[in-house]
Structure formats: structure tokens, C-alpha cells
Amino acid sequence: MNVQIEESWKEYLKDEFEKPYFAQLTEHVRREYMAGACYPPGRLIFNAFNLCPFDEVKVVIIGQDPYHEPGQAHGLSFSVCEGIPFPPSLQNIFKEIHDDLGTPIPQSGDLSRWAKQGVLLLNATLTVRAHQANSHATLGWQTFTDAAIKALATHRQHLVYMLWGGFARSKAYMIDKQNNLVLESVHPSPLSANRGGWFGQHQFSRANLYLLNKGQQPIEW
């Protein structure tokens, strides 16, 4: 199957595209988009991969599924399109970055600037039906995105994995903690963050220190 995805990712994931589950997934997604509003726009489903080639990945941030209201999702976990108000989780991410690094809260919630520096903003499920969180969670996307995580785990090292909340932390078994930095915390959503375990973790400075120690450029968060 000829999937429109960045060439280096296509090379590492080519076997997935030929498996029966992926053909079924593609058909399910096509039917969903024809039946009603789904997000992100079709051309942006693989945006996380397209903005962050395989060999340029430095940091992996795993989300669950795209935002499900109009105009928000554009294929990057936790990110919203330019001009869209920050969702609560993103507000808490920016607040922690401000507290950790002293940088001002940005005007835009579009995290493409992170992706272009090597932050893979990967949702486990890449599509969603409008107004229905997790509505595409059973279509087969997680088999595909787990394969992407495993490809990184197999062929790359000295990466930073940020696993926020129980769902993302369930992916930790795939990662070699001896040769990568795994930062686990509660989810930045208000329900979790306000109970403790999100604020004051200094994850962003810790990530940058690790990258510097491995001879890599830190991320301008």
C-alpha cells in the first residue's frame, strides 16, 4: 500500500503497510470520514511523522487521541491549530515549562515548532469522530503507532520519552530504560495535575540536560 508519509518513516514502517490490519484500518477510517466529520483533516493524519523524520527524533511525547472539536486537531499530540484557545492540558504544559525554564507562555498552541526540532508528538490513535473522544480507539491505530514506538526503540537510542498519565505509561515496556531517558508523570489534565505529580517535575529541563549530555541540541520549549 502506498501511504503518504515521510520517507524515512515509510522505510521503517513499510512492513506494517502490507499487513491485513492496516488495510482494514484504512478502510474503516475512509468510511468514517465519508460518514461525518472526523479530525484531523485527512492530509494531516500523519503530520507527526511528516514534521519529524525518523532519524531526527530526539523526544517522544505520547498522547491518546486527537482533540475532537472543530479546528483543534492537526495531527500532533497536545497541539492545537494557530489561533485556537489552549485546551486545559496544554495550559498546564505551558505553565510547567514557564515554571521550569522561566520562558514566557507562548501566544500559539501550535507545537509544530517542537516537531521541527525533533519532538515526535505521537497520538496512539491518529483519528477521531467529531465530539466523541476515543471513538476510533478500536480501529487498529494502536497496532500501527506501537510499531512506530518499537521501531524507535530498536533502531535509535539516547532519546527522551515523556509518558504522561496511565495510558502513555503503559507503553514504557517497549522502551530500553538503560539507553534512553524515560520521564513518567501524571497527565497534565487539570483532573490529574491538580492532585499532584505534574507541576514541579522539571521534565523539560531534565530532557534538555540529557540531550546536552548526549551531544545533542536541546529543545527550545
Side-chain angles (χ1 to χ4, degrees), residues 120-135:
L120 180 67
L121 294 160
L122 181 65
N123 279 316
T125 297
L126 297 185
T127 58
V128 69
R129 195 180 300 155
H131 318 301
Q132 298 181 45
N134 293 315
S135 49

Side-chain angles (χ1 to χ4, degrees), residues 24-172:
Q24 294 168 4
L25 167 62
T26 301
E27 184 58 29
H28 280 309
V29 170
R30 184 180 291 115
R31 288 178 182 173
E32 284 283 306
Y33 274 70
M34 290 177 64
C38 294
Y39 306 117
R43 71 184 187 282
L44 297 177
I45 290 173
F46 295 110
N47 201 25
F49 301 97
N50 293 336
L51 291 181
C52 188
F54 187 89
D55 291 323
E56 295 177 20
V57 176
K58 298 178 183 177
V59 179
V60 181
I61 298 178
I62 299 173
Q64 195 156 355
D65 73 331
Y67 296 121
H68 52 268
E69 296 302 328
Q72 292 182 310
H74 63 134
L76 305 177
S77 62
F78 295 100
S79 179
V80 289
C81 294
E82 188 75 30
I84 297 296
F86 303 163
S89 293
L90 187 56
Q91 290 181 34
N92 284 338
I93 291 169
F94 285 155
K95 185 177 187 301
E96 175 59 14
I97 292 171
H98 170 72
D99 293 346
D100 185 10
L101 299 172
T103 53
I105 303 293
Q107 298 295 309
S108 172
D110 182 349
L111 303 181
S112 298
R113 61 188 183 276
W114 292 5
K116 292 172 183 176
Q117 295 178 75
V119 181
L120 180 67
L121 294 160
L122 181 65
N123 279 316
T125 297
L126 297 185
T127 58
V128 69
R129 195 180 300 155
H131 318 301
Q132 298 181 45
N134 293 315
S135 49
H136 288 181
T138 61
L139 296 188
W141 276 125
Q142 290 189 44
T143 303
F144 175 73
T145 53
D146 279 358
I149 296 168
K150 289 173 182 174
L152 287 170
T154 300
H155 299 285
R156 297 289 312 281
Q157 59 181 8
H158 306 322
L159 304 184
V160 180
Y161 291 85
M162 293 180 162
L163 307 181
W164 301 336
F167 178 83
R169 294 168 81 170
S170 72
K171 308 293 184 180

